[in-house]
Amino acid sequence: MSHYYFIPHTKIDQILSYFEGNGYKCLAPRHLEGGISYAPIRKAEDLPWGYVDEQKPGHYQITKTENPQAFGFTVPTASVKPMLFKAKETVWKVKRDDSGKLGFESVVDVEKIAVFGVRPCDLRGIEIQDRVFQHNSYNDIRYSKRRENQFIIAMNCGTSHFNCFCVALGDYPRADKGYDLALTEINSGFVAEIGSDKGRELLLYLEVDAATGAQVEHALNLIDNAAQMQHKQLPPIKEVEAKLMANLEHEAWDDVASRCLSCGSCTNSCPTCFCHTERDIPNVLGTETEHTREWDSCFSIDHSYTHGETYRENPKYRYRQWLTHKFSTWRDQFRTKGCVGCGRCVTWCPVKIDVVDEINTICK
Amino acid sequence: MSTPDKLINFAKRPKIAVHKFSSCDGCQLALINDAVSLLELATIVDIVHFAEAGPLDEFAEVDLAIIEGSVNTHHDVHRIEMVRAKAKYVLSVGACALTGGIQALRNFTDEKELRHWQHDVYPEETEVIIEGDLATAKPISAYVKVDFELPGCPINTGQILRAIRQILFGVEPEKNVDPVCTTCKHAGVTCVMVAKNESCLGPVVADGCDAICPKLGRGCYGCYGPAKYANMDAMIAKLKEMGLSDEQIKHKFHHINSQAITFHGVTARTISQ
């Protein structure tokens, strides 16, 4: 029996009602305000049918076409990261009572979220953040609970954009693990693979048939085609890791720093960047406060402020910190590479700095 | 002694004054708009002078003087010196007080052009603006020592309440350090520069407005002044690449915080065309 199934487009609404019936809030890519971004979805028609995107360094454009697909675009503007590691959230509150005693309250705000359409690179981004927030020294309670309550439908790629480079990192635009269901969209529906018991239950609910050999072949060809569309090249990752650290005084760091706005758009759109800062928001009377955690960036000038000194005041050191951490010291810290090749840092850099070009210049 | 150290001796129940100089009053409104919080604040501090809200005692001795507006007249100079002499700490708020505000555009003009502007702005002929005027509109810090500054045009309610609260705790008010891009990315706003080719000053402008313009699909106008790090050369190169002329770029930075030192390279230069 084939382990591939076929879910026709006409069953999307059933998938959504399954999620609703099981207490999930379903997020899927939607066409919003000039971009395709994750947002709550209620009906199949909410999907970005026919939309395709063009991504180049510092450039993003979407166009409506006659393409009969819901997932004809490449990657959404943001990854799955904001659903698990929130851009800003309250982690605890503290209140002083009349006797002066402090009362602490932990805040764990968790929703059951089903994500319909996670690209393979973003799936690997989740795997990398799992190591940061769950498998490292600390287990982050909020992140972990969200992961436990997450349902992931992966969506293999049928196309790549100009900035995609998962293949150059040794990966492939096909989901290999970490999903409940993995789909590949062909003309009238999806070729599906099961990744977990949760995924199997959904598939049973949908009462779908096995995919035909032709459908499977079509799906696999589309993925191969997406891989072939990628043109960016990098030296083997082990070589990159070694060469970056061996070239800490390379003149290219000055060159890139002169072009870099230090705006943090790269780190904030990165599926794996995890830096954060914490601050307190007290009430006017000063009797209670909310302790928040929010994303921080190594491009923020205060990020390296420690013991009265700013260690990376020079933008060259901020860019170097980002690149050497992401593409070298990440391995020492988390036993994996830090980049998934989604290309968002290239697309969303307003001044078109291309991380692959910078690496190739330094590692030449 | 650094300012935060000095704040250790800040009064337990401090006296606060709110002063207006040349401005639109919008920053004072940021404090008044949240009436409940202002009343709460009034239970732990004495607000002795705040013309917009009621109390009047202009030259009372205070622990904290909050200043809105720029210095435009000889009378302003005298008044700010008096206010400073009577205040333990001075907190300047808003673009006018920090960088001269919109009215500081006059600093780039001459008497003849200024009269022309005056004719365009005011419905009737008036000499009120010219009499007793200085030749410039300048920030408060150009005349007296300022202890703390809050940028924005206008500042917002949360920002001023947080700053007062931090001073009451004996610490320096937190600064807006990061650029507007940070908020856009945190809020999931699709970059208007990348996706819509809108010219946006966000990468060099301090966050604080919650990215209100990009959230509405527009580029940032720069209301909160320069970010702590601003690569002006890279920003200008980007705006030129988008097709803006030198003159258009200059006007962008002239808008609200024209006297900000970070922007001087653009705002004060002579455009050769």
Side-chain angles (χ1 to χ4, degrees), chain B residues 204-263:
Chain B
V204 294
V205 165
D207 181 24
C209 59
D210 208 23
I212 185 166
C213 288
K215 280 180 180 170
L216 295 168
R218 301 184 306 213
C220 165
Y221 291 102
C223 302
Y224 275 67
K228 190 168 175 181
Y229 174 80
N231 186 341
M232 291 300 290
D233 289 342
M235 184 77 244
I236 291 163
K238 172 68 188 176
L239 293 173
K240 280 189 177 173
E241 181 206 287
M242 292 175 78
L244 273 73
S245 68
D246 282 352
E247 191 70 14
Q248 285 171 316
I249 294 169
K250 186 162 122 170
H251 286 166
K252 280 209 161 282
F253 287 97
H254 268 175
H255 191 199
I256 287 165
N257 287 285
S258 68
Q259 306 299 299
I261 291 164
T262 308
F263 297 159

Side-chain angles (χ1 to χ4, degrees), chain B residues 192-205:
Chain B
V192 298
M193 201 146 44
V194 169
K196 294 173 72 178
N197 208 38
E198 282 278 333
S199 56
C200 174
L201 304 186
V204 294
V205 165

Side-chain angles (χ1 to χ4, degrees), chain A residues 66-92:
Chain A
E66 293 302 313
N67 182 356
Q69 291 186 311
F71 293 86
F73 58 92
T74 59
V75 291
T77 55
S79 71
V80 177
K81 179 169 86 170
M83 300 178 212
L84 293 165
F85 167 37
K86 301 233 171 200
K88 183 174 183 176
E89 66 178 315
T90 300
V91 289
W92 47 261

Side-chain angles (χ1 to χ4, degrees), chain A residues 39-85:
Chain A
I41 177 179
R42 297 176 61 85
K43 298 185 293 291
E45 66 192 53
D46 294 338
L47 289 167
W49 293 98
Y51 279 97
V52 296
D53 58 342
E54 180 185 65
Q55 301 195 32
K56 288 180 186 169
H59 173 81
Y60 178 92
Q61 193 173 17
I62 48 174
T63 316
K64 174 90 169 159
T65 68
E66 293 302 313
N67 182 356
Q69 291 186 311
F71 293 86
F73 58 92
T74 59
V75 291
T77 55
S79 71
V80 177
K81 179 169 86 170
M83 300 178 212
L84 293 165
F85 167 37

Side-chain angles (χ1 to χ4, degrees), chain A residues 183-199:
Chain A
L183 312 183
T184 309
E185 189 176 27
I186 57 172
N187 286 337
S188 56
F190 307 97
V191 170
E193 291 167 88
I194 294 168
S196 75
D197 288 343
K198 280 198 288 186

Side-chain angles (χ1 to χ4, degrees), chain A residues 65 70 87 100 142 151 346:
Chain A
T65 68
R142 289 160 199 84
F151 194 115
V346 188

Side-chain angles (χ1 to χ4, degrees), chain A residues 260 279 284-285 300 302 350, chain B residues 165 174 178 228 231 238 241:
Chain A
C260 173
R279 50 171 54 110
V284 172
L285 297 178
S300 166
D302 277 8
Chain B
R165 182 64 254 170
E174 199 178 347
D178 293 331
K228 190 168 175 181
N231 186 341
K238 172 68 188 176
E241 181 206 287

